[in-house]
Amino acid sequence: MSDAWIVGGALRDELLGRPVRDVDVAVAGDPARAARALAADVRGPVFRLSEAFGAWRVIDRRVERVYDFAPLQGGTIEEDLAKRDFTVNAMARPVALEALAGADAAADLIDPLGGRADLEAGILRVLGAGAYESDPLRALRLARFAAELGFAPEPDTERLTRAAAPRVADAAGERVFGELRRLVIAGGALPGLELADRLDVLDAVLPELTALHGVGQSDYHHLDVYDHTLEVLAQLIEVESHLDELFGADADRLRAVLAEPLADDLTRGQALRFGALLHDIGKPVTRGVRADGRITFMGHDAAGERMVRDLARRLRTSERFARFAAGLTRHHLVLGFLVHERPLDRAQVYRYLRRTAPVEVEVTLLSCADRLATQGRRGDEATAVHLELARELMGAALDWREQGPPRVPVRGDELAQELGIEPGPELGRLLGELEQAAYAGEAATREQAIALARRLRA
């Protein structure tokens, strides 16, 4: 049997007592042979990952664990470890393939670069400038590890990371998004983003976000746009753990929606964090100052929607994620404007849901975080009425998500025949009016719908 070593993140996480789902195995010999041997043992699928690098993957469905086998990089395991990114990922343990599933991480630890000491000290130390030269994405990965592990880089690593930061944008868009995704959903997302910003990494991958620095706002805001944006994310994370207090009997239904898979290995709740980060990116290009000196951002929702679309294309996200994030940006202001129209009738609620669908649930929650992060003039009063309205609309939004739009009690072709009109824009407009009327309880039957359509035509 080939010599093999568990390397990288699996060993790091075992030593930290963290769950291990992905195991990297370096093999001195044929990775395919080693992978097939383990696959036979765990009775799981085995397949080639990369012809160029000779990597193979085995999935052990019994314990939901993935094993990736790759050839040893260099003549010895020590040479292989020296080619890795950070000291905490540059440890190894020899292992017999038949014992892969249950060996002790601390036994026979190979640690030529001081990874375990850095692990115990909570330090991230890059393996020299060459580590970033061989893979520019590693500078972003530093921030991701800081967010996931709660570790901090030592000074020389900070210096090297800042110098390497501009080249992160050279990495493939989908790889950049993969690291950003893990950073944003991590428990330490906020300090991780702060580190990425301070080391100029964030500017390389999300320049739309760092462009918000120093963009002042009206006296209804107490922060510039960048700091407000990070505060919105902080408030969203806080709200996630207080849904019962905010939404009462609707909290469980809301949790279920947020836990649903969306796209790109993100749940709806996780993807909503990107909505918090991106909702105001249209403000710098729409900033204006009125004659009375008040700062405005007219149309920043529409401009931001276009920018999110462009950003998603650059990062090669799925179209579903792009639509979701763009929709949140486009509609994040809608609920705030309705505050001044309370109490809302059923027709107004319908128009809110129809306009904000298919993100009617998530954008209602995002608007709460946005409002909680806005503590300028009359902030407490405005927040109280906003949250009250959001509670009212959340139940309707959850019902809409579960049941869909109301059913018009007459078919389009029947309505056209009754009114003597041809299919076209006028018929579509009438059906839209009837859908609103059905939601408001004003057209519950076929006869009521036809009669209302006649009146609307007149």
Side-chain angles (χ1 to χ4, degrees):
M1 184 61 66
S2 302
D3 291 328
W5 296 264
I6 293 179
V7 294
L11 199 54
R12 177 200 68 224
D13 288 345
E14 279 188 55
L15 290 168
L16 289 172
R18 290 163 53 90
V20 176
R21 294 286 179 263
D22 301 294
V23 179
D24 290 331
V25 184
V27 179
D30 182 7
R33 181 184 172 208
R36 291 191 184 103
L38 179 64
D41 185 50
V42 303
R43 298 181 181 179
V46 56
F47 50 91
R48 185 192 295 271
L49 270 182
S50 167
E51 291 194 23
F53 297 102
W56 286 73
R57 173 166 290 178
V58 176
I59 300 175
D60 185 349
R61 294 197 173 107
R62 303 170 306 172
V63 292
E64 297 183 357
R65 186 171 289 174
V66 174
Y67 295 89
D68 287 343
F69 292 79
L72 195 66
Q73 301 299 304
T76 66
I77 184 60
E78 289 78 11
E79 291 179 22
D80 180 288
L81 296 177
K83 297 177 183 291
R84 296 182 178 269
D85 50 10
F86 305 100
T87 59
V88 295
N89 296 329
M91 298 178 284
R93 185 186 73 239
V95 64
L97 293 175
E98 51 280 13
L100 263 175
D104 176 12
D108 303 318
L109 187 68
I110 300 171
D111 181 19
L113 299 164
R116 187 164 192 181
D118 284 346
L119 199 66
E120 292 171 352
I123 290 174
L124 291 170
R125 189 188 311 274
V126 72
L127 296 178
Y132 288 148
E133 291 169 6
S134 62
D135 184 357
L137 190 66
R138 286 171 169 172
L140 176 58
R141 195 170 296 150
L142 175 88
R144 190 257 288 179
F145 283 138
E148 290 182 337
L149 303 176
F151 287 12
E154 50 85 39
D156 199 46
T157 294
E158 287 203 6
R159 179 183 62 80
L160 292 170
T161 304
R162 187 176 287 107
R167 290 193 56 235
V168 179
D170 295 341
E174 60 270 28
R175 294 185 68 218
V176 171
F177 183 62
E179 292 293 336
L180 278 174
R181 180 179 65 229
R182 292 185 62 174
L183 192 166
V184 169
I185 68 175
L190 290 164
L193 287 166
E194 187 279 329
L195 177 67
D197 185 36
R198 181 162 54 83
L199 300 183
D200 299 332
V201 174
L202 194 59
D203 190 52
V205 295
L206 283 181
E208 300 89 345
L209 185 57
T210 56
L212 306 181
H213 273 299
V215 179
Q217 306 194 80
S218 71
D219 58 2
Y220 287 98
H221 290 264
H222 66 301
L223 300 169
D224 73 3
V225 183
Y226 181 85
D227 289 334
H228 166 74
T229 295
L230 270 292
E231 182 62 18
V232 173
L233 178 58
Q235 291 292 342
L236 179 64
I237 293 170
E238 181 70 14
V239 164
E240 288 169 0
S241 59
H242 293 87
L243 295 180
D244 292 288
E245 297 171 26
L246 278 171
F247 299 107
D250 290 319
D252 286 341
R253 287 200 297 163
L254 178 54
R255 283 192 196 91
V257 167
L258 297 178
E260 291 174 3
L262 176 76
D264 298 336
D265 295 323
L266 292 166
T267 65
R268 289 182 171 274
Q270 291 169 335
L272 184 54
R273 292 194 180 188
F274 279 94
L277 281 179
L278 302 176
H279 75 285
D280 272 350
I281 61 173
K283 280 190 170 180
V285 297
T286 58
R287 188 177 188 273
V289 182
R290 298 193 323 193
D292 61 4
R294 183 174 176 182
I295 297 170
T296 64
F297 300 100
M298 302 297 293
H300 78 271
D301 47 352
E305 179 186 22
R306 294 190 294 271
M307 293 172 69
V308 169
R309 287 283 189 177
D310 291 341
L311 182 156
R313 280 191 290 272
R314 185 178 78 239
L315 297 180
R316 299 180 186 176
T317 74
S318 67
E319 176 59 24
R320 191 173 189 192
F321 173 86
R323 287 197 305 269
F324 181 84
L328 292 172
T329 300
R330 184 68 179 89
H331 301 305
H332 75 276
L333 298 173
V334 179
L335 194 151
F337 288 129
L338 287 178
V339 166
H340 307 291
E341 300 180 25
R342 294 187 315 146
L344 305 187
D345 60 27
R346 290 280 291 176
Q348 288 171 300
V349 174
Y350 168 84
R351 289 194 291 272
Y352 172 76
L353 298 174
R354 171 54 77 186
R355 180 175 177 181
T356 59
V359 294
E360 66 285 346
V361 172
E362 296 85 357
V363 82
T364 300
L365 185 59
L366 174 60
S367 79
C368 295
D370 194 9
R371 182 60 254 178
L372 286 163
T374 307
Q375 295 299 319
R377 182 158 62 93
R378 300 174 59 188
D380 291 343
E381 176 187 343
T383 298
V385 295
H386 187 107
L387 295 182
E388 183 179 342
L389 180 58
R391 276 190 288 271
E392 296 172 16
L393 289 173
M394 184 60 82
L398 289 164
D399 291 342
W400 184 282
R401 180 67 58 86
E402 293 169 4
Q403 301 162 16
R407 188 181 68 85
V408 177
V410 60
R411 294 204 318 260
D413 58 337
E414 294 175 345
L415 185 64
Q417 185 175 1
E418 288 283 347
L419 301 181
I421 61 175
E422 294 294 324
E426 184 182 11
L427 180 61
R429 179 184 64 82
L430 288 171
L431 288 170
E433 295 277 4
L434 292 180
E435 185 178 279
Q436 176 178 303
Y439 187 87
E442 299 167 356
T445 67
R446 182 178 185 276
E447 291 72 23
Q448 289 175 339
I450 293 172
L452 177 57
R454 292 187 193 281
R455 293 197 301 273
L456 291 170
R457 277 200 82 200

